[in-house]
Structure formats: structure tokens, C-alpha cells
Amino acid sequence: MLESEVIAMRTGSEPVTARSPLRMRLWLSLWGTAWALFGLVAFSMNGRPGWAAACAVVLLLAVVDLGVITYRMRQGPHYQPGRDVPPYEPDHGDGRPRGPGPGTDGGRPGGG
């Protein structure tokens, strides 16, 4: 590795600054639903059954995606560690084991 290369370390603020893409996905899915519905009607009226079927498939996928998005949005936020949980200890790359954080069971699976 060159000396000029910089490796960004995890700061631990990611859960605080993270944003969900669900709202953007909702708007894109609504946009796709509108265009697929328009294409379905337009191609059906002009006697293009192949293109109308393709638009119907896109419409079906967009409506299913809308259902999944609204379900996930109604679930609410999932667990994120609070401000009292310190950031992860970075991997130093020298084989040193990382010690368990406060309040953990030492990394044993199923312990507690």
C-alpha cells in the first residue's frame, strides 16, 4: 500500500446518519405504475397486444413493489444502537483479538 493512500475508518455514526431509500423507491414505483398503466391503455387501443402484455407485466411488478414498500414503511424503524453504544473497534490487521464491548457476553453464540 502506498503512503498516499488513505483508508477511511468507520466512525460509528453511520446508524445516526443513515437514510432509508424507501421513500425514493415509493415515488419511483408510483412513477413506473403511472407509465405502465398509460402504456397498457395506449398499446391496447392501438392493437399492439405484445407491447400491452409487456406493460401489464411492468404494471404488475410495480404494484407488487408498492405493496412491499408500504409494508416495510409501516413496520417503522428497526433497532439501531443508541448514542451510548460505542463505535466498533477497527481491525488493526495485526491479528490482535478485539475485546468485547461493555455489556456483551464475550462473543459467545447464544450466550446472554
Side-chain angles (χ1 to χ4, degrees):
M1 180 167 73
L2 300 173
E3 287 184 32
S4 62
E5 290 183 51
V6 176
I7 298 174
M9 291 182 19
R10 185 182 182 289
T11 63
S13 68
E14 288 85 357
V16 176
T17 59
R19 296 185 54 118
S20 172
L22 286 177
R23 196 169 306 275
M24 179 187 63
R25 235 177 98 188
L26 175 75
W27 286 110
L28 288 173
S29 188
L30 285 171
W31 183 255
T33 300
W35 277 106
L37 185 61
F38 172 76
L40 176 64
V41 171
F43 286 125
S44 295
M45 291 176 60
N46 288 323
R48 303 279 189 168
W51 285 105
C55 287
V57 169
V58 171
L59 179 64
L60 179 67
L61 289 173
V63 169
V64 168
D65 193 35
L66 275 172
V68 170
I69 292 166
T70 54
Y71 172 75
R72 289 187 179 168
M73 287 177 89
R74 288 180 184 218
Q75 280 183 326
H78 294 287
Y79 170 75
Q80 294 291 325
R83 293 186 183 272
D84 57 331
V85 177
Y88 297 114
E89 178 71 24
D91 185 13
H92 299 287
D94 56 2
R96 289 190 292 171
R98 289 185 262 173
T104 62
D105 60 353
R108 293 183 309 239

